[in-house]
Amino acid sequence: MKPAPFDYVRADSVEEAVSVLAEHGDEARVLAGGQSLMPMLNMRLVRPEVLVDIGGLPELAHIEDEGDTVAVGAAVTQGDLADWPELGTALPVVAAALPHVGHFQTRNRGTVCGSICHADPSSELPLCLALLGGEVELHSAHGVRTVPADEFQRGVLTTAKEPDELAVRARLPKAQDGERFAFLEFQHRHGDFAVVAVAAKRSGDSVSLAVGGVADRPEVCRWDTLPGDAVEDALNDLAWTLGGGDDIHATARHRRQLVRHLGKRAIDATAADGAGA
Ligand SMILES: Cc1cc2nc3c(=O)[nH]c(=O)nc-3n(C[C@H](O)[C@H](O)[C@H](O)COP(=O)(O)OP(=O)(O)OC[C@H]3O[C@@H](n4cnc5c(N)ncnc54)[C@H](O)[C@@H]3O)c2cc1C
């Protein structure tokens, strides 16, 4: 199938992109890497009147080390971030997750912010944003606001972003001394979306686990202390709390088992003697 007709604006600045979004509201869509939007257009799941292409905007193509955070501009592709020399030190969990995001061909076009805005519950990058407690900076004709990760994704393909807002950058907190991370996922074939993905962080006694692919958004559970003999019970409780249903990829029962199994391996990997990311 081919998309319904649409107008195309190649924005020359953030200001121009935001002004087109203000003019067309619900009828406009931002085009970043097109790796999710183009299939949706072709299947006519969305029929915007106008596409605002931000992919070539140099002002959005930066990865900036801001001290405690890394700011990833909206034109930075997943491949650009994977190639960033500081990635393994600054954002080890993102470094571990990125190879699981589609294929290198899709990572060469797909952007980090596009994945976060698309808000697929199985996506790896929103999961990392949730685990790290990052934020998304949104610009519109009304001004600038910053939305924390736990308020940004609201459900399946649904976020707090209004139709006239452009996500200009995502901010991801950098790893601190002593923090350890792990990322694991189960997928049917390499490059497929995860059936279940988990990302873990250990900081002192506290352990956080983000789970994707089960609920309608990434969910983060944090334990102030989690002794080794309590991990399995804690994960069993979490698996039942998250819910998740049957679909063509897995049954709810299989998903619960993946939460227990991947969760345990990830948490163990963040222990001092484990193989953390
Ligand atoms: C074969 C294949 C396999 C894939 N496998 C995976 C996978 O395993 N894991 C995974 O996470 N993803 C996967 N993807 C999706 C891929 O990661 C996309 O790149 C990503 O979801 C969207 O990024 P994009 O830059 O291409 O955004 P686009 O497709 O251009 O846009 C996606 C949506 O976000 C909106 N949007 C994008 N950027 C902004 C912005 N700056 N401000 C406001 N709104 C914005 C668009 O309007 C649109 O609604 C796969 C894609 C393909 C084609």
Side-chain angles (χ1 to χ4, degrees):
M1 238 162 110
K2 294 291 170 202
F6 55 82
D7 289 333
Y8 171 86
V9 176
R10 189 173 178 88
D12 285 327
S13 63
V14 167
E15 201 181 350
E16 185 187 1
V18 158
S19 133
V20 177
L21 292 176
E23 186 184 343
H24 294 274
D26 251 346
E27 301 301 335
R29 281 276 181 149
V30 173
L31 173 66
Q35 297 303 295
S36 297
L37 185 55
M38 295 313 294
M40 293 202 308
L41 288 169
N42 285 340
M43 288 185 274
R44 302 202 174 194
L45 296 172
V46 290
R47 291 168 173 245
E49 281 175 5
V50 55
L51 290 189
V52 189
D53 188 349
I54 59 154
L57 272 183
E59 64 190 289
L60 299 180
H62 300 292
I63 302 169
E64 286 171 71
D65 185 335
E66 297 181 325
D68 286 343
T69 56
V70 176
V72 182
V76 173
T77 67
Q78 297 149 11
D80 294 335
L81 186 58
D83 290 343
W84 186 48
E86 318 297 323
L87 185 68
T89 319
L91 301 170
V93 75
V94 177
L98 268 171
H100 298 274
V101 181
H103 310 268
F104 77 85
Q105 294 91 336
T106 62
R107 295 194 291 272
N108 281 343
R109 303 291 304 198
T111 62
V112 173
C113 288
S115 176
I116 290 166
C117 290
H118 184 59
D120 189 302
S122 298
S123 279
E124 292 83 1
L125 292 169
L127 186 74
C128 293
L129 186 80
L131 177 81
L132 298 175
E135 60 186 31
V136 182
E137 185 180 306
L138 300 169
H139 290 220
S140 74
H142 308 294
V144 178
R145 68 184 180 120
T146 299
V147 181
D150 60 351
E151 292 171 25
F152 188 72
Q153 188 161 344
R154 298 209 165 146
V156 179
L157 310 189
T158 309
T159 70
K161 184 183 72 61
E162 298 293 339
D164 65 345
E165 288 182 309
L166 175 71
V168 161
R169 55 185 62 85
R171 285 199 177 80
L172 297 150
K174 283 164 64 178
Q176 302 296 310
D177 283 350
E179 289 181 345
R180 292 179 59 87
F181 297 88
F183 178 90
L184 289 169
E185 74 173 46
F186 174 79
Q187 53 193 187
H188 290 297
R189 294 172 308 185
H190 176 71
D192 282 357
F193 277 89
V195 176
V196 172
V198 298
K201 169 180 160 184
R202 187 180 294 267
S203 179
D205 287 339
S206 108
V207 173
S208 303
L209 186 75
V211 180
V214 183
D216 64 354
R217 70 199 81 178
E219 292 283 354
V220 184
C221 190
R222 181 174 177 276
W223 298 273
D224 288 335
T225 55
L226 190 59
D229 58 1
V231 172
E232 287 182 13
D233 284 347
L235 288 171
N236 187 46
D237 289 347
L238 177 62
W240 283 100
T241 309
L242 288 173
D246 299 342
D247 62 24
I248 55 167
H249 304 294
T251 60
R253 184 164 179 248
H254 188 195
R255 285 194 162 83
R256 284 194 296 276
Q257 186 55 19
L258 287 168
V259 172
R260 295 183 198 102
H261 178 69
L262 296 177
K264 170 101 170 64
R265 280 179 51 205
I267 289 171
D268 287 352
T270 63
D273 54 353

